[in-house]
Amino acid sequence: MIDLYTWSTPNGRKVSIMLEECALPYRVHRINIGTNAEQFTPEYLKINPNGKIPSIVDPEGPGGKPIAMMESGAILIYLAGKTGKFLPRSVRGKYEALQWLMFQMGGVGPMFGQAHHFMRAKKDEITYGSERYGNEAKRLYGVMDRQLEKNMYISGSEYSIADIAIYPWVARHEWHRVDLGAFPAVMRWFDALGTRPAVARGMSVPQPN
Ligand SMILES: N[C@@H](CCC(=O)N[C@@H](CS)C(=O)NCC(=O)O)C(=O)O
């Protein structure tokens, strides 16, 4: 059984959605990052040297030996490789999906994350940061909207780990003050993914105590 170390954030939920989609059995370990401590224990840093969630430990990794993995994008690629699911089999389709996964990892995640930081800061909102990352978030929605006008899924006709990576971030659209109505193709895609039972289950991980 795979051990998943996670918290109630978009990066964590990418992995729980993927595990649900692949019907892989897994055990959830809650790492409350809000404590600013649980992610930095010596035991956890052995699994994730970067001190962040998510991470997994698969006792049946390559060569039948355990593997610990950090970085949600790498974990999605690993699980796709392990199961043969949610990464297109054609060479072209595979690289298209990886390209959009990297768009999420390098763009959507960090930019939306910074927008949340500035817009939801407990101290006075810092206008420069909110504007910079809010504008970048809207620009990224425009890119996704144009892509999804032409394609059912973000990288083409197949549902893939790129969609799985983006969904939990778009689910926080109110946090980065984006009106989905302004991006109708993203809204159509978001609503369609939301009807997938595995997505709904993955989005509810970790369960509240
Ligand atoms: N690039 C990393 C980012 C992971 C990340 O930023 N995780 C956040 C939660 S979404 C975290 O653990 N924050 C705790 C901290 O920074 O102390 C990934 O995709 O796995």
Side-chain angles (χ1 to χ4, degrees):
M1 166 148 354
I2 292 177
D3 286 294
L4 168 66
Y5 298 81
T6 194
W7 191 238
S8 50
T9 71
N11 286 325
R13 285 171 172 163
K14 292 176 200 174
V15 179
S16 44
I17 291 173
M18 180 65 172
L19 288 163
E20 292 286 345
E21 289 283 17
C22 296
L24 283 167
Y26 64 104
R27 187 167 32 222
V28 175
H29 302 264
R30 299 158 58 90
I31 303 291
N32 182 348
I33 58 174
T35 59
N36 221 14
E38 291 185 16
Q39 65 270 44
F40 300 120
T41 63
E43 299 75 43
Y44 186 64
L45 289 174
K46 280 189 203 143
I47 297 168
N48 187 326
N50 197 28
K52 292 188 185 286
I53 64 94
S55 326
I56 60 163
V57 176
D58 182 357
E60 290 168 31
K65 295 195 184 127
I67 185 170
M69 291 204 65
M70 63 172 188
E71 285 295 327
S72 57
I75 296 170
L76 293 179
I77 294 169
Y78 171 72
L79 294 173
K82 181 181 173 80
T83 59
K85 291 180 176 166
F86 307 116
L87 196 53
R89 284 181 190 255
S90 77
V91 175
R92 181 174 297 273
K94 173 174 136 183
Y95 288 118
E96 280 168 354
L98 289 175
Q99 161 185 273
W100 286 97
L101 176 67
M102 297 305 151
F103 164 86
Q104 188 289 312
M105 291 298 293
V108 167
M111 296 304 133
F112 291 13
Q114 292 299 326
H116 297 169
H117 176 82
F118 286 103
M119 292 175 178
R120 298 169 60 84
K122 290 203 181 72
K123 298 178 200 140
D124 291 343
E125 182 185 12
I126 302 160
T127 310
Y128 178 78
S130 294
E131 280 178 7
R132 174 176 167 79
Y133 295 109
N135 288 341
E136 181 61 4
K138 287 201 185 76
R139 191 190 69 77
L140 290 166
Y141 272 88
V143 175
M144 293 191 283
D145 206 56
R146 289 189 289 281
Q147 178 69 3
L148 287 164
E149 269 171 12
K150 297 179 291 185
N151 299 287
M152 178 76 84
Y153 298 107
I154 196 71
S155 68
S157 58
E158 280 183 56
Y159 176 58
S160 78
I161 53 175
D163 299 286
I164 291 172
I166 294 170
Y167 181 86
W169 283 100
V170 171
R172 291 245 162 117
H173 57 95
E174 285 174 2
W175 283 31
H176 40 266
R177 302 181 191 161
V178 162
D179 171 12
L180 273 196
F183 301 99
V186 176
M187 189 144 105
R188 184 264 308 150
W189 166 92
F190 179 71
D191 289 344
L193 263 62
T195 65
R196 295 179 72 92
V199 169
R201 286 196 302 274
M203 287 296 286
S204 68
V205 172
Q207 295 285 336
N209 256 341

